[in-house]
Amino acid sequence: MSWLSKISLKNGAAVIILCAVVMGYGLFSATQIKQQTFPDLEFPAVFIQAVYPGASTEEVEGEVTTPVESSLMGMKGYDSLTSTSFENGASIFLQYPFGSNMDEINTNVQAAIAKLKLPSRAEVSVQRLSINSQPIYVAAISSNKDNAKAMQSKLENDVAPKLRKLEGVNSVMLGGTDLEEIQIHVDKEKASQHGISLNAIQTAIQSLDYALPLGAVTQDETAIPIRLVGSINSLQKIEELKLSSGIPADPAVSNQVKLSDIAEISTMASQKEITRFNGKQSFTISVMKDQDANTADVANLVKDTLSKYVEAGEIDIRVIADHGAEIEHSVSSLVKEGLFGTLFCVIIIFLFLRNIRATVISILSLPISIFVTIALLNQMGYTLNIMTLGGIAVSIGRIVDDSIVVIENIYRWRQEKGKEMKGKELAYKATKEVIGAIASSTIATVVVFLPLAFVSGIIGEFFRPFSYAVVISIITSLLVSVMLIPVLGAKFFKKAKHHEEETSLQRRFEKLLRGALKRKTLSISIAFILLFGSLATIPIIGVTFLPSSSTPSAVINLELPSKSGLDQTSELSQIVEGYVKDLPGVVDYQVSIGGRGDNPFEKSSALNKAKFNVTFTDKTKIDELLNQIEKELPTIVNTAVPETQIEIKEGAEAAGPPSGNGVDVNLYSNQPNELATAAKQIEQLMRQNGDLKEVTNNLTDVTPKWVLSLNQTGIDANISSFLVMQVVNEQLRPVNVGTYTLDGKELAINLSYKQTIGSKEQLENIAIPTAMGIKKLGDIADVTESTAPNSINHEDGKNYAKVSALVKGSDTAKVTGEVQKAIDGLSLPSGVEVKFGGGLQMINEGFASIGIAIGSAICLVFLVMSMTFGGIRTPLVIMSSLLFVPVGALGGLLITGQALSMSVMIGVLMLVGIVVTNAVVLLDRVEKNRKTGMEVTEAIIEAAKIRLRPILMTACATILALVPLAFSSSSSSSLISSGLAITVIGGLFTSTLLTLIVLPVIYQITSKRRKVKEEEVFE
């Protein structure tokens, strides 16, 4: 690559102009690139949501879930197919490997479901998942001026429409609103006297709204169509609707009755969800962005719009979630850590060179490389997120390495040979001397990231943009070091103080190195003792998938008995709110009652459920507080409403890859009772384990059910089961008539009996019309009591249960192993199959993938070294420097209390490329010395003394650039964690020291009988 330096030195002005243009374009791109928290990643999963109003769990399973599963199991290549059936609906997940063609798969799934013959009342929708598909802004809105109705009107007719018109906004959803509808409560006795059923009323109302073609009339050669139309346009029309009696009457007496005579008709505000913030009733507003929109920009537009209403005193806003602010915080944190790293680099370079010009020149590669990286990422369609920014941040030290080596060599040549050569000649020859070393070391660092393309799963998908950022920045830094740095070195190093004497540091280092070369066995032994000692710390350090960080928030889920209504759920929620507000460190709390719970795809609300989101101060010890809540709150809740289920867990972190710190036990059996027993046994076992928290069992408790079967009387009377179903159904479930525009308002109409069925006796007294007259249900059918599950879970069509828990500490592998041993000792029901998943499975799969990537990276680096030095002897000596990496990497993790994780392994992968840089710089000089005829020992000593300064400068620059990240408590993701930085710092620290001492020993041992042809190095 020396030709690039020669061309650059001949065209210095052009190179400077080119760099200025590139910088300008990079600055422009920085203002255009989109900002997100995470890469815009679409999970390879299809979500099928089924809604089947009025159906029991077993009906949903048999009539909807099983047929859908059967149609999907015929598709090829999927990883897993899971489903959960519950009352009124089902959720089905079809998971594929990353890299699958999800457009084609989505089309195939829709086509397969379209062929099914499902119940007419069942609605099935197919959706896809994206990591950035959550609402970007959620806020609680209230007002001290307007009442709830006026506030809702303002939100629906003013605020929400304005937000929907903003650029980048996809949809706006309001929560806690009332829905106005027509309620028709029919008196059961009066209706029975006239022989009128709810279905008859439904048909009569619907018959008022019609449009029928009657034909056409030709007038003046023009065909005029004729239609018979009718519509329901007022509430009065429904009230005066005349119904025909189903019972024969006296011909002289009218056989019709008005609807208002047998029913109460009223317009009511029906509320499906109640939301409160800090105990005050409020509305919630959730904003979704377009897929291609910039999250930060859209969130700022939304906040600017809402702020105008706040300033006018019309509304009061309390932010629940603001992804725009989170992104800005993540970006600013990483930028701040990068700037501190840059500052440390500048200080290190100045301390070693003690020359302001040399320091400024060497640091120029940073802004150029960073802005070129941003520009290219923008062109490639990537966003500015914690992965791309993290890649730039961890590369800062490595970016300046090449420039440091070049400028240090030019500066040294200027000191030693400044009187013999002119500026451009000196800069060219000084650059040429080290260009092979920096090029091969940079290429080695770049090829390390190639195997990441083959890392499977979510880690590979997340780290791909990270690797692009690292590779682009490092390649750019190489080009800057061989093009711009020589030009500036030739221009600004006109004079340098002549210096030939060795420094005190070089003299002390020479004495140490000569001692090591004389005591080879001791040097090698110490190195290997440190290596094996560090490997022995792995059991102490522990193993986890990704480091998990505590968030100062908690989530409390309540589920009252299924018969509970919205009002009862709200009353119990007020008791919980009173408890929560007195907890230490509470910042705010928000409750959603009767909403969709944790399932964002759920279409129907659950009136017996409530979800609390509680935020605490940053200094709150969340684990201790959660233990306190788990001890106190269940007693309070069940005292108020017995049989209420309560779930208490730590608040979720920002969307991203799973931390993998969980233990999942999957159970399979065709016998529901045995499956439930086994799940309960394992749940109790895991609750007794002090290393686990948030134990859950997806096989929920059963609820009582009544089973009807026709008895002999009913069979003899030839009574149709469909007749019984129709009559009983309308007694138990409201009938939806439809939605109509009445008096200028669009209103839904619902029919129900005023007298509800609340006991087995009332059920048995339902009148059934038969050929032998009216019969009671209890006379023609037997009613038996049984139980039914609240939910039924399938995996690949088989019944299964999952018991899950989170690991309190950081050693997921150890805790999972202990749980496995404990479960193996249980006497589970026969026929129950047990499989373990969760964090341990993710660790095994993830570490296997990254292990292959590290092995491949080592082979690629060895290939590059072999091409650089020729043969395999010297490349093998260089690769031996990798043996010293675990000493500092594992030692650093042990000292700081970090576990071995995927982010740590990514740090190890980076070290494969970084560590060999020092060895290349050192042995490149040794090889050149030997070609001039130097004896091996003297060649090593001379090269080590000359290369000591650039090696220490590059290592210190890389290490100190990562120090802010290593000690940062505001790291936005477990992926770019302090563990990664500590791994690189520790590994580079020990490998640098051992490279300077032990590597020369290894080289001397391997080169005793090796002769090198003498060759003049310098022209």
Side-chain angles (χ1 to χ4, degrees):
M1 292 183 71
S2 59
W3 58 273
L4 267 177
S5 300
K6 183 179 288 186
I7 293 173
S8 300
L9 286 165
K10 289 180 179 180
N11 303 277
V15 170
I16 293 173
I17 292 170
L18 175 63
C19 291
V21 170
V22 168
M23 275 284 291
Y25 181 66
L27 285 166
F28 172 75
S29 298
T31 63
Q32 300 298 309
I33 192 169
K34 290 193 298 180
Q35 295 181 13
Q36 291 178 328
T37 306
F38 290 98
D40 194 4
L41 177 66
E42 183 180 48
F43 286 107
V46 177
F47 174 77
I48 299 101
Q49 175 68 52
V51 178
Y52 190 5
S56 67
T57 302
E58 292 165 313
E59 288 173 334
V60 172
E61 181 201 26
E63 298 176 25
V64 177
T65 306
T66 300
V68 171
E69 285 179 329
S70 299
S71 68
L72 296 179
M73 281 192 285
M75 301 181 70
K76 297 179 180 179
Y78 65 84
D79 282 346
S80 65
L81 172 62
T82 58
S83 69
T84 301
S85 304
F86 41 85
E87 279 193 17
N88 304 318
S91 300
I92 304 167
F93 278 94
L94 186 63
Q95 179 83 33
Y96 276 83
F98 279 95
S100 302
N101 186 342
M102 294 311 298
D103 289 331
E104 181 181 346
I105 290 169
N106 191 61
T107 302
N108 293 340
V109 169
Q110 290 179 331
I113 292 175
K115 295 177 182 177
L116 298 176
K117 291 184 179 179
L118 300 174
S120 58
R121 288 183 290 124
E123 296 180 10
V124 179
S125 61
V126 179
Q127 302 175 49
R128 285 160 63 177
L129 305 178
S130 171
I131 197 167
N132 290 308
S133 62
Q134 298 179 345
I136 63 163
Y137 184 83
V138 182
I141 297 180
S142 59
S143 174
N144 294 322
K145 292 183 178 181
D146 299 329
N147 57 35
K149 189 172 183 180
M151 187 72 245
Q152 178 175 331
S153 177
K154 181 183 290 294
L155 291 174
E156 291 177 337
N157 302 318
D158 184 10
V159 178
K162 281 188 178 178
L163 293 178
R164 292 187 181 103
K165 291 178 181 178
L166 294 177
E167 184 179 357
V169 171
N170 181 275
S171 62
V172 177
M173 291 176 21
L174 295 175
T177 57
D178 292 341
L179 178 65
E180 208 170 26
E181 61 182 15
I182 303 294
Q183 293 278 2
I184 303 176
H185 295 290
V186 179
D187 189 299
K188 190 183 297 185
E189 293 182 3
K190 291 180 181 179
S192 179
Q193 290 172 4
H194 292 279
I196 297 173
S197 65
L198 294 188
N199 284 331
I201 299 173
Q202 179 191 31
T203 304
I205 294 174
Q206 291 175 341
S207 66
L208 294 176
D209 189 75
Y210 55 85
L212 304 172
L214 300 180
V217 173
T218 303
Q219 180 179 343
D220 298 332
E221 299 182 356
T222 301
I224 302 174
I226 302 175
R227 294 173 65 81
L228 179 65
V229 298
S231 63
I232 310 172
N233 49 30
S234 68
L235 182 60
Q236 184 180 357
K237 208 167 188 177
I238 295 176
E239 292 173 340
E240 295 178 353
L241 174 65
K242 292 185 178 181
L243 305 167
S244 297
S245 175
I247 298 176
D250 188 344
V253 180
S254 174
N255 197 30
Q256 291 186 324
V257 61
K258 286 201 300 185
L259 178 58
S260 57
D261 291 338
I262 63 169
E264 293 179 1
I265 305 170
S266 59
T267 303
M268 299 183 64
S270 172
Q271 194 169 24
K272 304 295 184 184
E273 180 182 10
I274 298 172
T275 58
R276 289 194 289 266
F277 189 86
N278 288 347
K280 182 179 179 181
Q281 187 158 348
S282 62
F283 299 94
T284 58
I285 189 162
S286 303
V287 181
M288 300 277 291
K289 75 175 184 68
D290 291 329
Q291 187 71 17
D292 297 329
N294 189 330
T295 303
D297 290 345
V298 175
N300 287 333
L301 284 174
V302 170
K303 287 183 282 189
D304 289 343
T305 302
L306 292 176
S307 66
K308 295 176 183 177
Y309 293 95
V310 175
E311 291 168 2
E314 298 178 26
I315 60 175
D316 183 34
I317 294 179
R318 292 290 182 269
V319 177
I320 298 172
D322 182 359
H323 286 191
E326 291 171 7
I327 289 171
E328 290 174 350
H329 174 69
S330 301
V331 171
S332 64
S333 296
L334 283 169
V335 169
K336 182 176 70 175
E337 290 159 10
L339 289 174
F340 274 116
T342 303
L343 176 62
F344 292 152
C345 283
V346 172
I347 293 171
I348 284 295
I349 297 168
F350 181 75
L351 288 177
F352 274 96
L353 297 181
R354 298 185 181 181
N355 184 287
I356 295 176
R357 288 185 177 182
T359 303
V360 172
I361 291 171
S362 61
I363 214 70
L364 279 176
S365 59
L366 266 179
I368 296 174
S369 299
I370 289 172
F371 284 112
V372 167
T373 303
I374 292 173
L376 289 178
L377 288 173
N378 188 39
Q379 289 296 317
M380 294 167 68
Y382 285 99
T383 61
L384 206 61
N385 52 68
I386 63 170
M387 298 308 298
T388 50
L389 277 172
I392 294 171
V394 300
S395 302
I396 284 175
R398 182 61 186 82
I399 287 172
V400 298
D401 280 3
D402 294 342
S403 297
I404 287 173
V405 172
V406 172
I407 202 67
E408 190 276 339
N409 212 43
I410 294 174
Y411 186 69
R412 183 177 61 82
W413 271 57
R414 175 62 66 186
Q415 286 181 318
E416 296 176 1
K417 304 178 183 181
K419 296 178 180 179
E420 303 171 14
M421 298 183 189
K422 295 181 180 179
K424 289 186 178 182
E425 180 188 8
L426 185 144
Y428 172 69
K429 290 186 176 181
T431 304
K432 186 179 179 182
E433 184 184 52
V434 295
I435 202 167
I438 64 171
S440 60
S441 61
T442 299
I443 293 170
T445 306
V446 169
V447 297
V448 157
F449 288 92
L450 288 179
L452 265 183
F454 303 101
V455 174
S456 60
I458 195 169
I459 292 297
E461 295 297 318
F462 267 86
F463 269 98
R464 205 149 288 133
F466 172 88
S467 61
Y468 283 138
V470 174
V471 167
I472 293 170
S473 61
I474 291 176
I475 290 177
T476 305
S477 72
L478 174 63
L479 295 174
V480 171
S481 67
V482 300
M483 293 176 69
L484 180 63
I485 301 302
V487 171
L488 297 178
K491 179 71 175 174
F492 294 104
F493 285 162
K494 298 290 185 182
K495 296 178 181 179
K497 186 178 179 181
H498 187 68
H499 179 75
E500 290 182 352
E501 294 181 3
E502 295 179 353
T503 63
S504 59
L505 177 62
Q506 287 176 315
R507 288 193 294 271
R508 286 196 295 269
F509 173 64
E510 180 182 355
K511 184 178 180 181
L512 177 64
L513 182 57
R514 286 188 183 277
L517 291 171
K518 289 178 182 177
R519 299 173 181 83
K520 300 181 186 66
T521 303
L522 179 62
S523 301
I524 298 294
S525 299
I526 292 174
F528 276 95
I529 289 172
L530 289 173
L531 173 62
F532 291 120
S534 64
L535 293 175
T537 63
I538 292 178
I540 303 172
I541 291 171
V543 182
T544 188
F545 184 67
L546 286 175
S548 58
S549 56
S550 295
T551 55
S553 62
V555 174
I556 302 171
N557 290 315
L558 296 181
E559 183 174 353
L560 281 70
S562 56
K563 63 183 179 180
S564 306
L566 190 68
D567 291 339
Q568 187 177 6
T569 309
S570 178
E571 290 174 6
L572 181 59
S573 297
Q574 287 179 329
I575 296 174
V576 176
E577 287 173 284
Y579 171 82
V580 166
K581 74 177 182 180
D582 293 330
L583 290 172
V586 170
V587 175
D588 55 53
Y589 54 93
Q590 187 258 345
V591 59
S592 175
I593 305 160
R596 293 170 292 177
D598 288 328
N599 186 356
F601 302 101
E602 182 68 70
K603 290 186 178 179
S604 58
S605 59
L607 303 182
N608 64 325
K609 294 182 179 180
K611 179 179 179 180
F612 297 79
N613 291 293
V614 189
T615 305
F616 300 93
T617 56
D618 290 336
K619 295 182 180 179
T620 301
K621 295 181 179 178
I622 193 67
D623 285 337
E624 295 179 8
L625 191 58
L626 288 176
N627 289 334
Q628 176 188 336
I629 298 172
E630 286 174 353
K631 290 178 182 177
E632 299 173 349
L633 191 55
T635 304
I636 297 171
V637 166
N638 280 283
T639 301
V641 180
E643 299 182 10
T644 297
Q645 296 180 20
I646 180 169
E647 180 187 22
I648 301 162
K649 58 185 181 181
E650 188 178 332
E653 297 181 36
S659 63
N661 65 330
V663 179
D664 292 341
V665 183
N666 295 329
L667 307 169
Y668 305 88
S669 176
N670 293 324
Q671 301 298 323
N673 291 336
E674 292 182 358
L675 192 63
T677 301
K680 202 68 180 176
Q681 283 181 265
I682 293 174
E683 180 187 355
Q684 291 172 351
L685 174 72
M686 292 172 71
R687 288 191 183 279
Q688 294 169 3
N689 191 317
D691 293 324
L692 299 176
K693 61 181 180 180
E694 298 180 21
V695 179
T696 59
N697 179 359
N698 74 342
L699 197 63
T700 53
D701 293 335
V702 296
T703 57
K705 72 172 181 178
W706 295 333
V707 180
L708 301 178
S709 57
L710 291 174
N711 56 26
Q712 194 60 46
T713 303
I715 295 171
D716 294 340
N718 198 27
I719 295 173
S720 166
S721 58
F722 291 101
L723 172 65
V724 175
M725 181 183 71
Q726 181 180 358
V727 173
V728 173
N729 261 348
E730 72 170 24
Q731 297 273 354
L732 301 178
R733 299 168 181 162
V735 176
N736 181 270
V737 179
T739 302
Y740 301 91
T741 303
L742 304 176
D743 301 319
K745 294 181 180 180
E746 193 172 271
L747 300 171
I749 302 176
N750 286 308
L751 271 170
S752 63
Y753 282 116
K754 191 184 299 182
Q755 301 87 350
T756 58
I757 302 296
S759 66
K760 182 179 176 183
E761 183 182 356
Q762 289 175 332
L763 178 68
E764 292 175 330
N765 286 331
I766 292 177
I768 306 294
T770 71
M772 297 182 294
I774 301 296
K775 297 284 186 180
K776 290 183 178 180
L777 178 63
D779 295 336
I780 61 166
D782 295 329
V783 182
T784 57
E785 294 186 13
S786 181
T787 57
N790 286 334
S791 64
I792 300 174
N793 306 293
H794 289 174
E795 183 175 309
D796 293 330
K798 298 186 295 184
N799 284 355
Y800 91 106
K802 178 188 281 188
V803 184
S804 303
L806 295 180
V807 177
K808 287 183 179 179
S810 58
D811 197 348
T812 304
K814 179 183 176 183
V815 174
T816 304
E818 292 173 353
V819 172
Q820 286 182 351
K821 287 182 181 179
I823 291 175
D824 290 340
L826 288 177
S827 297
L828 298 177
S830 59
V832 176
E833 181 185 355
V834 181
K835 286 185 179 179
F836 294 92
L840 185 60
Q841 182 181 359
M842 296 170 71
I843 288 170
N844 292 336
E845 294 174 356
F847 275 59
S849 294
I850 200 69
I852 293 171
I854 292 173
S856 302
I858 291 172
C859 292
L860 289 171
V861 171
F862 180 74
L863 178 63
V864 173
M865 296 299 103
S866 180
M867 294 171 64
T868 302
F869 291 94
I872 62 172
R873 192 189 303 266
T874 301
L876 281 174
V877 175
I878 291 173
M879 298 306 293
S880 68
S881 62
L882 296 177
L883 294 173
F884 312 138
V885 166
V887 177
L890 296 176
L893 294 176
L894 180 65
I895 293 169
T896 57
Q898 299 271 356
L900 197 63
S901 65
M902 287 298 292
S903 60
V904 167
M905 297 303 287
I906 294 294
V908 173
L909 181 64
M910 292 180 63
L911 281 170
V912 172
I914 294 173
V915 164
V916 297
T917 300
N918 294 332
V920 170
V921 170
L922 174 62
L923 294 189
D924 176 68
R925 178 79 181 192
V926 174
E927 291 282 290
K928 288 178 179 178
N929 285 344
R930 292 203 62 201
K931 287 177 182 179
T932 63
M934 274 193 191
E935 188 267 331
V936 174
T937 302
E938 293 307 314
I940 292 173
I941 296 296
E942 191 276 343
K945 289 193 296 182
I946 294 298
R947 294 293 188 237
L948 176 63
R949 185 166 67 175
I951 287 174
L952 291 178
M953 285 172 64
T954 54
C956 290
T958 303
I959 288 171
L960 289 177
L962 288 170
V963 166
L965 181 62
F967 290 96
S968 172
S969 60
S970 61
S971 203
S972 303
S973 167
S974 55
L975 292 169
I976 309 298
S977 66
S978 59
L980 186 152
I982 289 167
T983 301
V984 176
I985 290 172
L988 184 55
F989 177 77
T990 55
S991 65
T992 299
L993 295 180
L994 293 173
T995 295
L996 289 169
I997 304 298
V998 180
L999 196 68
V1001 174
I1002 297 173
Y1003 183 86
Q1004 188 186 52
I1005 293 172
T1006 59
S1007 301
K1008 272 187 176 181
R1009 299 179 182 178
R1010 179 183 167 210
K1011 293 183 179 180
V1012 179
K1013 182 180 178 181
E1014 293 186 7
E1015 183 179 335
E1016 185 70 28
V1017 175
F1018 304 112
E1019 295 179 6

